[in-house]
Amino acid sequence: MLFELTDEQVMIQSMVREFSRKVIAATAAERDRTRQFPWENLKKMGELGLMGMMVPLQYGGEGADTISYTLALAEIAYSCASTAVIMSVHNSIVCQSILRYGTEEQKTKYLKPLCSAEFIGAFALTEPHAGSDPVSQSTSATRNGNFYVINGSKRFITTGKNAGLVIVTAKTDETEGHKGITAFIINKNTPGYSIGRIEDKLGLRASDTCDLNFDNCLVPVEDRLGKEGDGFRIAMTALDGGRIGIAAQSVGVAQAALDAAVKYTREREQFGQKISKFQGIRWMVADMATELEAARQLMLSAAALKDKGEKYTAQASMAKLFASEMVNRITAKALQLHGGYGFISDYAVERFFRDARVFTIYEGTSEIQRVVIANHVFKDKRQISTKTLEG
């Protein structure tokens, strides 16, 4: 491993690995079938400090670094990708956005209950006709005295149904483009706020994804996040951190798929020997392990840059792009190695395959990641290539 982990980072990884494989894994398959939201496990994760890992101690968090967080998130994803995506959005996007852009009153009011998993956070940017192009969103926020009146709808919101609060972006000035977008913290009990369509998904079935509707929703001025016009910057900064989180989810699911494939091929016998003895199988596994390690290093590289306080947008996109595409290749190969058994729900690899598919889509598609990376490469090719190699 190029990165030498600290004793604390190793301790966190080991603790979460034990918890994940004993507690999270036990109900993962059942939750996938029933689509039951993992409230009990999230509460336990809150008690362990996993729901506010990078939040300072003074606000109820653990004060951990990004590397520790990504290691922990990958271990949760190893057992249950649905639980991992809830943890990722909650930590990387919601808690970090409030920590970075919130007032002292907002941090005190919201971060402690978020860190303890008293309630879960969600982030609402995407709309029915505005996904990768947030400037095209139509949700509006009009100032009226001490309130903003919000109207519109959001689509594909992770944890939207079960979230206690949601960070929502809306246009406060139609004429200003991305500078006319503002972010708001909205409590689920706010009048005018309602849950819309709940999606029936291919994977991540224990994590709800839904529409959110706002009909003359009154939000106090003190719940505006940042200044008017800061919404686009808040969203883009949040997504940078979130993309490292998706790389971690991808690494966790890919490791689970690889381990499952190795276990199965060691046990399955054909033509008088274990299929793990066949060269074609061994080479396939070797390629899987190599891709997984490359993705892990990209994940850690982006996390290290974030911890150093350096720019990491391009590295986060690289990690997300490579890792999300890697996990789709690895889960497909793991399923293939299981033969017909990989196609049935008796084996977890079928769930891994379904869960992995969305990783190349949400929080910026692979195509959007390539746009981000290319923009940085053409802006300063030498800087990007150098920083990517730093360890």
Side-chain angles (χ1 to χ4, degrees), residues 194-258:
S194 63
I195 308 300
R197 170 188 170 92
I198 300 173
E199 303 296 344
D200 183 9
K201 300 178 298 183
L202 173 71
L204 303 180
R205 293 167 69 83
S207 163
D208 66 272
T209 301
C210 69
D211 287 0
L212 297 179
N213 299 318
F214 305 93
D215 183 9
N216 290 324
C217 182
L218 292 178
V219 179
V221 171
E222 56 264 29
D223 280 338
R224 183 186 67 211
L225 185 60
K227 301 175 183 177
E228 278 200 11
D230 281 351
F232 183 83
R233 180 161 60 99
I234 291 172
M236 294 303 102
T237 302
L239 289 174
D240 282 347
R243 286 163 183 166
I244 299 175
I246 294 173
Q249 294 170 56
S250 300
V251 166
V253 173
Q255 185 69 65
L258 175 60

Side-chain angles (χ1 to χ4, degrees), residues 14-328:
S14 299
M15 180 271 289
V16 180
R17 177 175 296 171
E18 181 178 7
F19 169 77
S20 175
R21 300 188 189 187
K22 285 185 178 180
V23 178
I24 302 296
T27 59
E30 180 65 20
R31 290 182 188 281
D32 176 66
R33 286 191 290 270
T34 64
R35 307 179 202 176
Q36 183 182 7
F37 193 75
W39 273 118
E40 303 90 341
N41 288 340
L42 292 171
K43 294 291 186 184
K44 293 175 183 177
M45 290 164 63
E47 293 171 2
L48 290 174
L50 301 182
M51 300 305 285
M53 287 193 69
M54 296 176 286
V55 174
L57 297 173
Q58 69 188 93
Y59 300 119
E62 292 298 307
D65 58 17
T66 311
I67 289 179
S68 297
Y69 164 67
T70 57
L71 294 171
L73 181 57
E75 293 298 338
I76 297 296
Y78 183 98
S79 299
C80 179
S82 293
T83 304
V85 69
I86 298 166
M87 174 183 172
S88 181
V89 172
H90 182 91
N91 273 277
S92 301
I93 299 184
V94 179
C95 289
Q96 287 292 285
S97 293
I98 294 175
L99 179 64
R100 180 164 184 170
Y101 294 100
T103 63
E104 191 61 33
E105 289 75 19
Q106 288 171 338
K107 294 175 188 178
T108 302
K109 179 179 180 181
Y110 293 119
L111 286 177
K112 287 187 178 181
L114 284 168
C115 291
S116 66
E118 180 181 332
F119 51 76
I120 306 300
F123 182 76
L125 174 67
T126 299
E127 296 186 4
H129 302 291
S132 298
D133 179 16
V135 178
S136 296
Q137 66 183 290
S138 59
T139 298
S140 64
T142 305
R143 178 77 178 261
N144 185 1
N146 293 324
F147 291 87
Y148 284 89
V149 183
I150 298 183
N151 285 285
S153 62
K154 298 292 182 177
R155 176 148 292 174
F156 300 140
I157 307 307
T158 300
T159 321
K161 177 185 175 184
N162 287 284
L165 70 79
V166 183
I167 296 176
V168 178
T169 60
K171 283 189 174 180
T172 46
D173 190 337
E174 278 280 354
T175 67
E176 287 294 318
H178 71 276
K179 293 182 180 179
I181 299 173
T182 303
F184 302 90
I185 302 171
I186 304 181
N187 188 287
K188 70 173 183 179
N189 296 319
T190 303
Y193 172 105
S194 63
I195 308 300
R197 170 188 170 92
I198 300 173
E199 303 296 344
D200 183 9
K201 300 178 298 183
L202 173 71
L204 303 180
R205 293 167 69 83
S207 163
D208 66 272
T209 301
C210 69
D211 287 0
L212 297 179
N213 299 318
F214 305 93
D215 183 9
N216 290 324
C217 182
L218 292 178
V219 179
V221 171
E222 56 264 29
D223 280 338
R224 183 186 67 211
L225 185 60
K227 301 175 183 177
E228 278 200 11
D230 281 351
F232 183 83
R233 180 161 60 99
I234 291 172
M236 294 303 102
T237 302
L239 289 174
D240 282 347
R243 286 163 183 166
I244 299 175
I246 294 173
Q249 294 170 56
S250 300
V251 166
V253 173
Q255 185 69 65
L258 175 60
D259 289 353
V262 169
K263 181 176 184 294
Y264 181 82
T265 57
R266 280 176 169 167
E267 296 171 352
R268 178 70 168 172
E269 187 171 313
Q270 292 284 277
F271 306 103
Q273 64 178 338
K274 305 298 183 183
I275 63 173
S276 61
K277 298 295 184 181
F278 291 104
Q279 187 179 68
I281 300 294
R282 297 175 74 86
W283 282 13
M284 187 184 296
V285 170
D287 287 343
M288 293 162 70
T290 301
E291 283 199 69
L292 174 56
E293 184 59 25
R296 183 178 286 111
Q297 295 302 324
L298 282 170
M299 172 193 80
L300 292 171
S301 174
L305 285 176
K306 183 174 182 290
D307 284 335
K308 293 175 183 177
E310 298 184 22
K311 292 181 179 179
Y312 64 95
T313 295
Q315 283 72 26
S317 285
M318 289 176 184
K320 199 269 189 188
L321 171 64
F322 185 83
S324 65
E325 298 200 341
M326 170 277 301
V327 71
N328 276 276

